[in-house]
Amino acid sequence: GKRDLINKQLGLTTSSSSNSETTSNNTPESPSLSSTLESSSPSPNSRGNRLRERTYSDVALSTMRKVIAKRLTESKATIPHYYTRIDCKLDALLDYRKTLKDNGITVSVNDMVIRAAALALRDVPQANAQWQEGTGVVKNDNVDISVAVATPGGLITPIVQNCDKIGMRDINASVSELAGRAKEGKLLPEEFTGGSFTISNLGMFGIKEFTAVINPPQACILAVGGGRAAPNATSSGSLEKTTDMTVNLSSDRRVVNE
C-alpha cells in the first residue's frame, strides 16, 4: 500500500524530472552577446565601407574661377539683395522682331531686352547707380550694360557701352563680337570691368526663371527666363494664348528702393 504509493509518486517525480531535463536539453541556447555583435558588425561589402573606400580628386581652380568665387561670395555676404519678379507678354515684341527680320535686320530677343533695359535705366537713373563705402550712392553717367556670357573658364560679363544711344542692330553686333572674343579669352580688362547693370539670360537653355547674384560694384542684375505659351484673360473675360517671359530683378537695397 504505502510503499506502492510512495514508489508510484517517486516514479512520477522521476518521470517528471526526466521530462523536465529532456525539455530543458532540447531548448536552443540564447545567442551570446559576442555572437550578436559579430553578426551585427558591417561586412566588407556594406554601404558604409563602400562609401569610405571611395576616392576623390581636387580640381585646380583657374585664375578666373578664383576671381568669380571671391566676387560672388563677397556680393552675397556684403550686399543686401532683394528680389522682384514680373511676367512679360512677348507677343508684340515677337511681332516687331519678325517685322525687323522681314526688312533685313536680324536681332535676338536678348538684344531687345538689352535695349529695353537701357531705356528704362535712362528714364530711372536711380537704378543706374552703385554703392560706394564712405560715399553712398553714386549715379553712373553712362548706361553700360554687362551681358553674362558662358565660357569654358567660367561666366564673364563683357560690357556693351552706351546702350541707350545705339540701336538694336548695333547692340546685336556688339554682343556677338564681345561674346566671341570672350569665349576665346581675348577680352581686354576694360571690356568686362565696370558696367552699370547686368543681364543674364538662361532662356535659351529652357530655364523658365531664376534669380542671379549682383555683380559688384553694380546695384542690379536682371535674370531673364525663356518664353513660354500661357493662357491669359482678355478684357472681355475670355482666355487667349500668349507668349510670356518671367524676369527677376536682384537689387541692392542700399541703392534701389521699391
Side-chain angles (χ1 to χ4, degrees):
K2 290 184 179 180
R3 184 181 294 275
D4 292 339
L5 180 60
I6 291 172
N7 288 336
K8 188 176 181 180
Q9 289 178 343
L10 288 174
L12 288 173
T13 302
T14 302
S15 175
S16 174
S17 195
S18 174
N19 290 339
S20 175
E21 290 175 3
T22 302
T23 303
S24 175
N25 289 336
N26 289 336
T27 304
E29 294 182 1
S30 300
S32 64
L33 178 60
S34 62
S35 63
T36 303
L37 291 175
E38 288 175 3
S39 64
S40 63
S41 60
S43 68
N45 293 324
S46 68
R47 183 173 182 273
N49 284 337
R50 291 199 306 272
L51 288 176
R52 282 192 289 271
E53 290 170 0
R54 289 172 182 256
T55 59
Y56 302 90
S57 301
D58 293 332
V59 178
L61 294 179
S62 65
T63 301
M64 179 183 289
R65 284 287 185 184
K66 290 179 181 178
V67 171
I68 291 172
K70 182 175 182 292
R71 286 172 58 83
L72 294 185
T73 300
E74 289 178 352
S75 176
K76 288 295 286 185
T78 62
I79 297 177
H81 287 58
Y82 86 96
Y83 309 96
T84 50
R85 170 186 177 276
I86 193 170
D87 292 330
C88 307
K89 290 182 174 57
L90 292 185
D91 300 274
L93 180 144
L94 295 176
D95 289 342
Y96 182 52
R97 183 188 179 208
K98 184 178 182 302
T99 300
L100 291 176
K101 187 175 181 179
D102 292 341
N103 287 275
I105 302 174
T106 301
V107 297
S108 68
V109 171
N110 202 51
D111 298 329
M112 303 179 87
V113 171
I114 294 171
R115 175 65 173 166
L119 296 179
L121 291 169
R122 181 195 65 187
D123 296 341
V124 187
Q126 294 85 353
N128 191 47
Q130 62 188 49
W131 179 268
Q132 288 186 1
E133 294 296 336
T135 302
V137 177
V138 177
K139 293 183 179 178
N140 296 300
D141 295 329
N142 300 318
V143 179
D144 299 331
I145 294 185
S146 304
V147 181
V149 175
T151 72
L155 198 68
I156 194 168
T157 52
I159 303 167
V160 182
Q161 297 182 347
N162 299 313
C163 286
D164 60 323
K165 298 176 182 177
I166 60 177
M168 284 182 289
R169 176 183 284 176
D170 292 332
I171 289 175
N172 176 271
S174 294
V175 171
S176 298
E177 193 267 337
L178 288 168
R181 287 196 291 115
K183 293 175 181 178
E184 296 172 356
K186 295 181 179 180
L187 287 179
L188 300 174
E190 59 267 24
E191 292 179 312
F192 60 87
T193 304
S196 58
F197 188 92
T198 294
I199 293 176
S200 180
N201 190 335
L202 294 180
M204 64 285 293
F205 301 109
I207 304 299
K208 293 181 180 179
E209 66 170 297
F210 66 105
T211 55
V213 181
I214 293 172
N215 181 22
Q218 300 172 10
C220 298
I221 181 169
L222 186 70
V224 182
R228 65 189 185 279
N232 281 282
T234 65
S235 57
S236 62
S238 61
L239 289 177
E240 66 176 359
K241 182 181 177 181
T242 60
T243 303
D244 290 3
M245 177 181 74
T246 301
V247 296
N248 285 274
L249 181 69
S250 304
S251 303
D252 184 342
R253 189 174 285 277
R254 298 170 300 181
V255 178
V256 179
N257 296 317
E258 294 88 342

